[in-house]
């Protein structure tokens, strides 16, 4: 008997027809089926389970986990909508350069984290020390800043001091290295991801799109540091928000015991890490030093 076509899912331009139902798994997909439908690897499936996007269910008497069909099909539809939106959405990732731009970024911080509105002058001092510390994402159709990211290249030995502070974190500009100059002697730094956020009020698809482009911009900056011969020893970030925690886990950060009780702490040991974007950075670093 030919299998009935119950639903049609698309991802990355490919079309998938979910396999025939069996009496045992009439409402579930196996791991192999999920990977085929979503077009993902074992590692990506593990991340989806680990961050709560998909739930692995182990039926009685079985050792292998399965996944609810409705959850997988919904995720496939969301991913396809995201891909279409990503192709059509025009955005620009750029340095924050003016006080007005910084003020808009800190308004986003205020809405997301409850702090930021009264720190504009302080953040501009950080920006004057290193122009690569604050970047914004602009939706060119809306003509507005829709997100921002702040990353602080710290002198080695200063990271623990920063991670031990409660919100709002105060960073001494003297502890920051200028990583924008290509003619400097090789530097060693620890990279603190101070903040990343998308302006509230957007739908889930737009939110994921903007978040993805913020991450892409951040990764490009890190790779550029490698090309300049800047050696990053540790990358650290903190979050107490579900989206932030999922992002850290999905990106490959390792959670460590926090130095303050109000936020969870995540790090990447760059030397030992095999995360894809870190490997790109390492290759760029090797080229930069040659």
């Amino acid at each position: 008997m030919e299998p009935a076509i119950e639903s049609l899912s698309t991802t990355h331009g490919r079309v998938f027809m979910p396999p025939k139902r069996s009496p045992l798994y009439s409402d579930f997909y196996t791991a192999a089926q999920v990977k085929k439908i979503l077009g993902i690897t074992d590692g990506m499936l593990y991340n989806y389970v680990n961050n709560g996007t998909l739930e692995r269910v182990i039926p009685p008497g079985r050792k292998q986990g399965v996944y609810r069909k409705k959850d997988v099909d919904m995720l496939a539809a969301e991913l396809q909508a995201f891909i279409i939106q990503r192709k059509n959405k025009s955005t620009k990732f750029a340095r924050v350069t003016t006080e007005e731009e910084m003020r808009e970024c800190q308004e986003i911080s205020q809405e997301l984290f409850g702090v930021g509105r009264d720190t504009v002058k302080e953040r501009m001092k950080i920006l004057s020390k290193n122009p690569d510390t604050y970047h914004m994402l602009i939706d060119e159709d809306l003509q507005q800043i829709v997100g921002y990211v702040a990353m602080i290249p710290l002198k080695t030995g200063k990271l623990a001091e920063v991670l031990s502070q409660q919100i709002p974190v105060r960073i001494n500009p003297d502890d920051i290295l200028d990583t924008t100059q290509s003619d400097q002697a090789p530097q060693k730094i620890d990279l603190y991801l101070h903040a990343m956020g998308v302006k509230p009020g957007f739908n889930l698809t737009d939110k994921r799109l903007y978040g993805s482009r913020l991450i892409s911009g951040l990764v490009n900056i890190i790779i550029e540091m490698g090309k300049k011969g800047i050696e990053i020893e540790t990358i650290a970030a903190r979050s107490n928000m579900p989206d932030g925690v999922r992002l850290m886990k999905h990106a490959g950060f390792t959670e460590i015991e926090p130095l303050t009780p109000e936020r969870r702490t995540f790090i990447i040991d760059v030397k030992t890490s095999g995360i894809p974007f870190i490997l790109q950075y390492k290759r760029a670093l090797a080229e930069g030093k040659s």
Side-chain angles (χ1 to χ4, degrees):
M1 179 182 295
E2 292 295 324
I5 299 176
E6 299 172 338
S7 64
L8 193 68
S9 299
T10 63
T11 182
H12 301 293
R14 293 171 288 171
V15 178
F16 298 104
M17 290 181 290
K20 179 182 177 181
R21 284 186 177 184
S22 68
L24 180 62
Y25 297 135
S26 60
D27 295 318
F28 296 91
Y29 288 136
T30 65
Q33 291 168 343
V34 172
K35 288 185 289 183
K36 183 177 180 182
I37 291 168
L38 299 181
I40 60 175
T41 63
D42 284 325
M44 292 174 70
L45 178 57
Y46 173 81
N47 283 335
Y48 280 143
V49 173
N50 195 44
N51 65 29
T53 302
L54 292 176
E55 181 183 5
R56 181 187 290 117
V57 179
I58 301 179
R62 299 278 174 166
K63 294 182 179 180
Q64 300 298 320
V66 292
Y67 305 83
R68 289 185 178 86
K69 178 181 181 297
K70 63 178 182 178
D71 295 340
V72 175
D73 288 346
M74 182 180 297
L75 181 57
E78 289 177 354
L79 290 173
Q80 179 64 14
F82 173 77
I83 292 167
I84 294 172
Q85 184 81 343
R86 183 168 186 171
K87 290 179 179 177
N88 298 331
K89 201 82 166 172
S90 178
T91 59
K92 181 172 69 173
F93 184 82
R95 285 176 175 174
V96 173
T97 59
T98 69
E99 188 169 322
E100 180 56 35
E101 290 169 347
M102 181 65 78
R103 184 171 289 107
E104 288 191 52
C105 292
Q106 293 311 305
E107 281 297 324
I108 294 174
S109 176
Q110 189 73 37
E111 291 185 70
L112 291 174
F113 313 121
V115 295
R117 190 172 293 143
D118 60 346
T119 65
V120 174
K121 297 292 185 183
E122 179 183 333
R123 303 309 181 200
M124 289 303 293
K125 291 179 180 178
I126 292 174
L127 198 66
S128 66
K129 184 64 181 285
N130 186 325
D132 254 354
T133 46
Y134 281 81
H135 286 75
M136 58 188 170
L137 186 71
I138 301 170
D139 186 310
E140 296 185 301
D141 296 324
L142 299 176
Q143 288 295 299
Q144 65 173 274
I145 297 172
V146 295
Y148 84 103
V149 60
M151 51 150 226
I152 313 297
L154 294 167
K155 296 177 181 177
T156 55
K158 297 295 182 179
L159 182 60
E161 180 182 327
V162 170
L163 293 177
S164 66
Q165 296 185 46
Q166 295 187 353
I167 297 175
V169 174
R170 306 290 182 182
I171 298 175
N172 186 343
D174 291 338
D175 294 337
I176 300 171
L177 286 175
D178 184 356
T179 55
T180 62
Q181 304 300 317
S182 59
D183 57 350
Q184 291 181 344
Q187 299 169 298
K188 288 188 178 182
I189 66 168
D190 289 317
L191 195 60
Y192 176 54
L193 302 186
H194 189 195
M196 180 185 296
V198 172
K199 189 175 182 179
F202 293 106
N203 60 47
L204 181 60
T205 300
D206 283 345
K207 183 179 177 182
R208 287 180 174 174
L209 169 69
Y210 294 142
S212 173
R213 293 194 175 173
L214 283 172
I215 294 169
S216 177
L218 178 62
V219 167
N220 286 337
I221 295 171
I222 292 173
I223 293 171
E224 285 300 313
M225 287 183 181
K227 292 178 181 178
K228 295 174 184 176
I230 298 168
E231 187 174 340
I232 304 171
E233 296 190 335
T234 303
I235 302 176
R238 300 192 296 174
S239 182
N240 63 345
M241 301 179 69
D243 284 349
V245 171
R246 282 195 294 271
L247 174 63
M248 294 303 104
K249 290 182 176 180
H250 185 73
F253 282 73
T254 299
E255 186 168 7
I256 63 171
E257 185 175 352
L259 296 177
T260 61
E262 90 283 10
R263 284 186 293 174
R264 296 165 70 174
T265 302
F266 302 84
I267 67 165
I268 295 174
D269 181 344
V270 174
K271 184 177 181 180
T272 61
S273 175
I275 300 170
F277 84 87
I278 295 296
L279 294 179
Q280 285 183 273
Y281 158 78
K282 289 179 180 179
R283 288 192 291 269
L285 179 64
E287 293 173 5
K289 288 184 173 182
S290 61

